Amino acid sequence: MTNNDILKKLRVALMLRDDQIVEILELVDFRISKSELSAFFRAENHPNYVECGDQVLRNFLNGLVIHLRGTKDNPKNPTAVLAKHKAEIPTKEGQKDKIEYKAKPKDEEKTRGDQSPSKTKPTSKKKPFKKPAPKVQVVEKVKFNFGKNKK
């Protein structure tokens, strides 16, 4: 496993964005740009792929300890920090400002064929699907004589 893989897995496990990783690295006075950081997360066969060096990973891990635990002078609760990260990421069920994209036709003429007009009920009711009755296959009994009783 390479340093790039470790960095990718930590990023996914802790749900960190690029700007958060840059801030974590700045806690240990290690400056890196977002574009340099994104080169670590590219596929190995990509032309802009860069191997993550030991120094970058070491500084990220040291910064991560400070980010989660805090310093001796100002300790933090790691579970509270992780809960804060999870609260910042919108979830499908928890989105309060969910945008709904529904067509609101002004006239009945503007509805699509698969939509029913909003004021009137649909004119045709769908018939329930009926399964066809299974075909009964008739098998006749055949007697084999195997050469006996030939006429």
Side-chain angles (χ1 to χ4, degrees), residues 6 96-97 128:
I6 295 169
K96 293 180 181 176
D97 300 327

Side-chain angles (χ1 to χ4, degrees), residues 24-31 53-66:
I24 289 170
L25 286 167
E26 286 178 358
L27 291 174
V28 289
D29 296 327
F30 189 84
R31 307 278 190 281
D54 293 337
Q55 184 180 10
V56 176
L57 185 62
R58 183 183 73 240
N59 283 313
F60 174 71
L61 293 174
N62 289 336
L64 190 61
V65 169
I66 294 171

Side-chain angles (χ1 to χ4, degrees), residues 8 11-12 15 17 27 31 37-38 42 44 57 63 77 88 92 102 104 112 115 119 121 131 135 138 143 149:
K8 285 177 191 176
R11 176 186 183 203
V12 171
M15 294 181 273
R17 297 185 314 262
L27 291 174
R31 307 278 190 281
L37 187 64
S38 67
R42 297 187 187 276
E44 290 182 22
L57 185 62
N77 184 2
E88 290 175 358
K92 289 182 181 178
K102 289 187 177 180
K104 294 182 181 178
R112 295 188 324 228
Q115 292 179 337
K119 294 181 182 178
K121 293 182 180 179
K131 237 182 188 179
K135 294 180 182 178
V138 179
K143 293 184 179 180
N149 300 331

Side-chain angles (χ1 to χ4, degrees), residues 4-5 7-8 32 35-43 48-53 56:
N4 293 58
D5 294 333
L7 197 61
K8 285 177 191 176
I32 192 169
S35 60
E36 289 174 315
L37 187 64
S38 67
F40 298 140
F41 300 121
R42 297 187 187 276
N48 294 337
Y49 172 80
V50 176
E51 280 192 34
C52 179
V56 176

Side-chain angles (χ1 to χ4, degrees), residues 10 22 33 35 43 47 52 61 63 65 74 80 86 88 101 108 112 129 132 136 138 146-147:
L10 284 172
V22 169
S33 67
S35 60
C52 179
L61 293 174
V65 169
N74 187 15
K86 288 182 183 179
E88 290 175 358
Y101 297 101
E108 290 183 16
R112 295 188 324 228
F129 179 75
V136 179
V138 179
F146 297 107

Side-chain angles (χ1 to χ4, degrees), residues 143-151:
K143 293 184 179 180
F144 293 99
N145 293 331
F146 297 107
K148 298 177 185 175
N149 300 331
K150 276 191 172 180
K151 293 183 181 177

